[in-house]
Amino acid sequence: MQSTVQQLTLEMDVSVAVGIGFGETAASAEINARKAIRHSKKKESSGIVVIQEDGVMIESVG
């Protein structure tokens, strides 16, 4: 998936933010996904941020 993010960034000449959220309900998963996207947008490099059900954040770096 990281290679897809890098490819999109190069082809479209824009930064790409990816956030994935997990939760016990669809609503809590959406909240975590939105937090993950916000965090991903703050990063200098394109990357993938995952927020787990328990709130633990995982950042993918290459």
Side-chain angles (χ1 to χ4, degrees), residues 39-59:
H39 186 78
S40 181
K41 285 181 177 181
K42 292 178 185 175
K43 295 172 55 174
E44 288 184 23
S45 61
S46 299
I48 301 167
V49 176
V50 177
I51 298 185
Q52 297 178 345
E53 199 172 287
D54 58 1
V56 173
M57 184 180 305
I58 301 170
E59 294 186 40

Side-chain angles (χ1 to χ4, degrees), residues 10-56:
L10 291 173
E11 288 181 11
M12 299 179 70
D13 196 27
V14 295
S15 67
V16 176
V18 178
I20 301 170
F22 293 96
E24 289 187 24
T25 65
S28 63
E30 180 182 359
I31 289 168
N32 285 339
R34 289 179 186 271
K35 287 179 185 177
I37 290 172
R38 277 196 305 272
H39 186 78
S40 181
K41 285 181 177 181
K42 292 178 185 175
K43 295 172 55 174
E44 288 184 23
S45 61
S46 299
I48 301 167
V49 176
V50 177
I51 298 185
Q52 297 178 345
E53 199 172 287
D54 58 1
V56 173

